[in-house]
Amino acid sequence: MATNQNLEQFMAKVIAKNPAEPEFHQAVKEVAESLFPFIEENPKYKGILERIAEPERVFIFRVPWLDDKGEVQINRGFRIQMNGAIGPYKGGLRFHPTVTLSVLKFLAFEQVFKNSLTTLPMGGGKGGSDFDPKGKSDNEVMKFTQSFMTELQKYIGADTDVPAGDIGVGGREIGFMFGQYKRLRSEFTGVLTGKGLDWGGSLVRPEATGYGNVYFAEEMLKTKGQNFKGKTVVISGSGNVAQYATQKATQLGGKVVTLSDSEGYIYDPKGIDAEKLAFVLELKNVKRGRISEYAKKFGCEFVAGKRPWGVKCDIALPCATQNEISPEEGKTLVNNGCICVSEGANMPSTPGAVEAFLEKKILFGPGKAANAGGVATSGLEMSQNSLRLSWSREEVDERLHNIMINIHKTCEKYGKDKSGFINYVNGANIGGFVKVANAMLAQGLV
Ligand code: NDP
């Protein structure tokens, strides 16, 4: 019977039902490994994970647009409505050539647990396109996003499904999409988060994922009587999450020595201070240049085609993309003395890397807990939109900080073993699952 199957049988079914979706299989397996022993002890939850692993709805659509040469381009658009048991679907849109159904299903699946951990009433969703904003003009990005939203608007709404940004979707893209939604629907509503401050956005939303990740790392470090002061921090990525993780880690006394993009990483042993970070923000968010330009500007090393995990550090904050820490790189980090890995990106550590972290019992915060600050603050943006109010920077930051402290507490509650070791993977998976599962049980077989 479906409800009495073991982990191997469960995964075999998931793989058979969702062929050629390796990222989705990986994400489901990681959660199932934590949940199977828990469900064994709490049999009322039998069968629920199987339901959560099946999206409630998937939309796939054609996105035609005209480039600057007047030529027709065709991309593929997606929206996954994974689970709406505890609130409207909520989760970002990713524009990147690596986007596939598998990648978005893995992200939507993770989002269900993450959103539950925030304690806010948000279901899980995700979407995006294989469109690559890199090298496109503002005009081309606008043409594409308008076409994308022309189709997407049929499926979303302020009380049903509220997308946000992710890789390749920042303030510019959210602006163009919001404009198109408003034009098609004649509604000024909180249908997207990550909006500009003058038109319904929330203070601290741009900073929230990076700040939240560092707040979570800080809580993990506290359990060992440690903090960021004087620690060497290695960060990957140089986009939204990496930028604000750098800022907060530096404010707390850490020295951030690396940033990266898909072409390589910079190593600045003197540390990326506020002035250098201002250069990165301008370079990445306005000029849309490559991180190698940082090395030219500040006279440090640029290592082409490599990731930064070989650089000796105390704390690692992977903030670029999925599977960016291989098993070997995970071992290198641990062998070089890294005591804390806090995932700003979604699933950046391969299963082999996670194994290396857990084996050596270092502090390891999985993305669904450690990067939940972004969606939590999106939830706060939704609340402000509904109230037609704007909270101050201090108020939003304090709420974000408290949410991260509470997520840490939840992980501790569900992840602490008899020896006192906190397995944050189990903690986040079980802690996120319980609320969604209880809601699904209460709402009947839907
Ligand atoms: P951005 O688009 O702002 O930045 C992404 C960064 O990662 C860029 O430096 C990019 O380099 C690099 N990158 C992307 N894909 C790859 C790849 N395949 N290989 C190497 N480098 C890559 O995205 P965000 O900062 O918003 O997102 C980063 C991560 O954080 C993602 O995993 C996202 O899902 C996660 N996240 C984001 C949240 C948010 O609020 N924005 C919330 C929670 C999680 P390049 O420019 O060369 O592509």
Side-chain angles (χ1 to χ4, degrees):
M1 209 173 83
T3 51
N4 281 329
Q5 62 200 338
N6 63 29
L7 179 64
E8 287 68 35
Q9 290 164 331
F10 169 78
M11 280 313 304
K13 266 189 158 181
V14 169
I15 291 166
K17 249 189 158 179
N18 305 276
E21 295 182 7
E23 294 86 359
F24 181 60
H25 305 160
Q26 184 182 335
V28 174
K29 184 161 183 245
E30 189 238 76
V31 168
E33 279 170 352
S34 294
L35 285 180
F36 264 66
F38 176 76
I39 293 170
E40 200 55 46
E41 286 168 22
N42 298 274
K44 69 173 177 174
Y45 295 129
K46 279 193 176 170
I48 296 283
L49 184 59
E50 206 169 35
R51 278 162 67 189
I52 296 181
E54 187 66 29
E56 286 179 16
R57 229 161 278 110
V58 176
F59 303 102
I60 302 182
F61 47 91
R62 181 172 62 205
V63 188
W65 57 281
L66 278 181
D67 68 16
D68 286 347
K69 293 187 206 116
E71 283 169 19
V72 176
Q73 300 290 334
I74 304 293
N75 285 100
R76 184 172 290 171
F78 302 86
R79 185 70 185 164
I80 320 283
Q81 296 181 338
M82 198 76 193
N83 192 299
I86 62 169
Y89 308 103
K90 181 90 198 90
L93 297 171
R94 177 176 292 192
F95 293 166
H96 197 270
T98 58
V99 161
T100 60
L101 182 60
S102 171
V103 166
L104 294 180
K105 276 172 72 178
F106 117 64
L107 289 163
F109 181 78
E110 292 270 300
Q111 198 80 45
V112 174
F113 300 86
K114 182 188 305 192
N115 292 4
S116 164
L117 282 170
T118 67
T119 71
L120 301 176
M122 299 180 291
K126 200 83 191 184
S129 173
D130 57 0
F131 172 76
D132 187 358
K134 253 187 260 142
K136 305 285 190 305
S137 68
D138 284 350
N139 183 47
E140 289 176 322
V141 171
M142 184 166 72
K143 293 251 190 67
F144 167 78
T145 49
Q146 288 182 339
S147 179
F148 180 79
M149 183 51 89
T150 301
E151 184 66 24
L152 185 70
Q153 57 90 20
K154 297 173 189 166
Y155 317 117
I156 62 174
D159 293 319
T160 51
D161 184 352
V162 184
D166 190 74
I167 291 177
V169 178
R172 174 182 61 170
E173 292 75 17
I174 293 287
F176 292 157
M177 285 191 279
F178 186 77
Q180 184 72 350
Y181 182 89
K182 193 162 58 67
R183 182 184 187 197
L184 291 166
R185 302 280 290 254
S186 298
E187 285 171 12
F188 196 110
T189 60
V191 68
L192 293 166
T193 57
K195 300 187 290 299
L197 276 181
D198 296 333
W199 39 281
S202 174
L203 284 158
V204 192
R205 177 61 189 91
E207 295 89 339
T209 309
Y211 278 19
N213 183 30
V214 172
Y215 291 149
F216 191 84
E218 200 184 16
E219 290 307 300
M220 292 199 288
L221 288 164
K222 271 190 204 161
T223 66
K224 303 273 181 203
Q226 300 270 7
N227 58 42
F228 268 88
K229 281 202 191 85
K231 300 280 192 305
T232 299
V233 185
V234 159
I235 296 186
S236 65
S238 48
N240 173 264
V241 182
Q243 291 166 10
Y244 290 103
T246 301
Q247 186 171 80
K248 187 52 75 179
T250 308
Q251 284 171 0
L252 294 182
K255 184 167 79 162
V256 178
V257 295
T258 65
L259 284 173
S260 70
D261 61 22
S262 48
E263 291 171 10
Y265 73 90
I266 57 105
Y267 174 49
D268 184 348
K270 292 189 192 135
I272 301 165
D273 60 18
E275 189 197 327
K276 292 171 180 173
L277 184 62
F279 171 83
V280 175
L281 262 67
E282 173 78 10
L283 174 71
K284 284 288 167 180
N285 307 348
V286 182
K287 293 187 180 145
R288 301 185 190 275
R290 311 311 300 154
I291 199 66
S292 54
E293 290 167 48
Y294 178 105
K296 280 185 212 138
K297 166 93 180 161
F298 297 109
C300 71
E301 195 182 348
F302 172 68
V303 182
K306 290 258 161 47
R307 301 185 286 220
W309 313 123
V311 174
K312 193 168 158 43
C313 67
D314 305 300
I315 298 167
L317 307 177
C319 296
T321 192
Q322 65 271 6
N323 291 327
E324 55 162 321
I325 308 182
S326 69
E328 294 68 34
E329 287 167 325
K331 282 185 201 134
T332 304
L333 277 170
V334 177
N335 291 338
N336 280 344
C338 177
I339 57 165
C340 174
V341 177
S342 191
E343 294 186 334
N346 285 308
M347 209 166 77
S349 311
T350 54
V354 176
E355 217 177 288
F357 304 148
L358 295 182
E359 197 185 300
K360 288 285 163 44
K361 301 206 167 182
I362 68 162
L363 300 165
F364 171 62
K368 61 172 82 65
N371 70 35
V375 73
T377 309
S378 277
L380 301 178
E381 183 173 331
M382 288 165 72
S383 302
Q384 292 170 80
N385 291 164
S386 299
L387 292 165
R388 304 260 191 267
L389 281 176
S390 292
W391 295 330
S392 68
R393 172 170 290 276
E394 291 69 30
E395 188 166 359
V396 180
D397 192 29
E398 194 185 332
R399 282 175 193 261
L400 164 66
H401 201 161
N402 282 332
I403 288 170
M404 298 316 294
I405 291 172
N406 284 328
I407 294 175
H408 184 271
K409 281 189 190 144
T410 304
C411 291
E412 192 168 0
K413 176 176 167 188
Y414 290 104
K416 201 174 202 163
D417 69 17
K418 288 190 187 106
S419 73
F421 171 67
I422 306 171
N423 181 322
Y424 290 92
V425 176
N426 286 344
N429 288 339
I430 300 169
F433 171 78
V434 168
K435 183 174 165 190
V436 176
N438 285 342
M440 289 173 78
L441 284 173
Q443 291 169 22
L445 197 57
V446 289

